[in-house]
């Protein structure tokens, strides 16, 4: 579905550029944009590597388990179907912690591990479980306190005050997270415990 949406955007952009005689602008962007993307990727890569390494060390040292236990009162409310001390809670804690620090790309491996672990608890493998859906909602809402990656990109493009977005980010993440979890609970209540949501 997303491929179709982005494909439509590209086609509309090309058509609009032809209609407004800006074909040269499109050509210039096609030539220069890959270099910009490569620069952004290379600037973010060390950050991703460092945090992935730190989180793996934290996992081996048992720190993630401690974080999961510390956050367990919150997790028990958000994920009531996950057994206490289950490994998926550690992966979820890692994923959300890294997301809160704004290093979203580095959180992806832990998100995938969390989903795989949650799927092992899932009774109906053909349908996402309640916990899997809630976890996806949390990731989609973009739980972020310090938008490290965005601040880095703003700095790279010469923003006068790259950290100016901090307050806006915190307000936005509170609103989207509360709204996302509220909608998640409403849909769960409406559908009851059918379709493998229990």
């Amino acid at each position: 579905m997303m491929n179709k949406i982005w494909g439509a955007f590209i086609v509309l952009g090309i058509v609009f550029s032809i209609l407004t005689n800006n074909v040269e602008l499109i050509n210039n962007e096609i030539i220069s944009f890959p270099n910009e993307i490569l620069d952004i990727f290379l600037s973010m890569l060390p950050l991703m590597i460092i945090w992935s390494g730190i989180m793996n060390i934290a996992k081996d040292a048992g720190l993630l388990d401690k974080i999961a236990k510390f956050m367990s009162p919150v997790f028990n409310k958000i994920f009531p179907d996950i057994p206490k001390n289950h490994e998926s809670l550690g992966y979820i804690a890692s994923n959300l912690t890294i997301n809160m620090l704004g290093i979203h790309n580095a959180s992806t491996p832990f998100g995938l591990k969390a989903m795989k672990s949650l799927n092992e608890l899932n009774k109906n493998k053909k349908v996402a479980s309640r916990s899997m859906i809630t976890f996806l909602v949390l990731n989609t809402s973009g739980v972020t306190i310090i938008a490290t990656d965005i601040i880095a990109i703003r700095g790279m493009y010469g923003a006068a005050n790259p950290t100016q977005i901090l307050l806006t980010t915190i307000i936005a993440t509170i609103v989207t997270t509360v709204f996302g979890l509220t909608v998640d609970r409403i849909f769960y209540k409406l559908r009851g415990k059918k379709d493998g949501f229990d």
Side-chain angles (χ1 to χ4, degrees), residues 117-172:
S117 183
L118 289 173
N119 196 42
E120 292 173 2
L121 297 172
N122 191 8
K123 296 176 183 177
N124 185 355
K125 305 297 183 185
K126 295 181 180 179
V127 180
S129 68
R130 176 185 181 182
S131 297
M132 292 170 77
I133 292 171
T134 302
F135 179 58
L136 185 61
V137 167
L138 279 175
N139 269 269
T140 306
S141 70
V143 181
T144 307
I145 295 175
I146 304 172
T148 307
D149 49 2
I150 298 174
I151 290 170
I153 291 172
R154 280 170 58 84
M156 195 176 87
Y157 279 96
N161 186 2
T163 60
Q164 192 175 20
I165 60 167
L166 282 177
L167 181 59
T168 307
T169 303
I170 293 170
I171 293 171

Side-chain angles (χ1 to χ4, degrees), residues 137 141 172-186:
V137 167
S141 70
T173 198
I174 291 171
V175 171
T176 56
T177 301
V178 170
F179 179 77
L181 288 176
T182 302
V183 172
D184 176 56
R185 288 298 182 266
I186 290 171

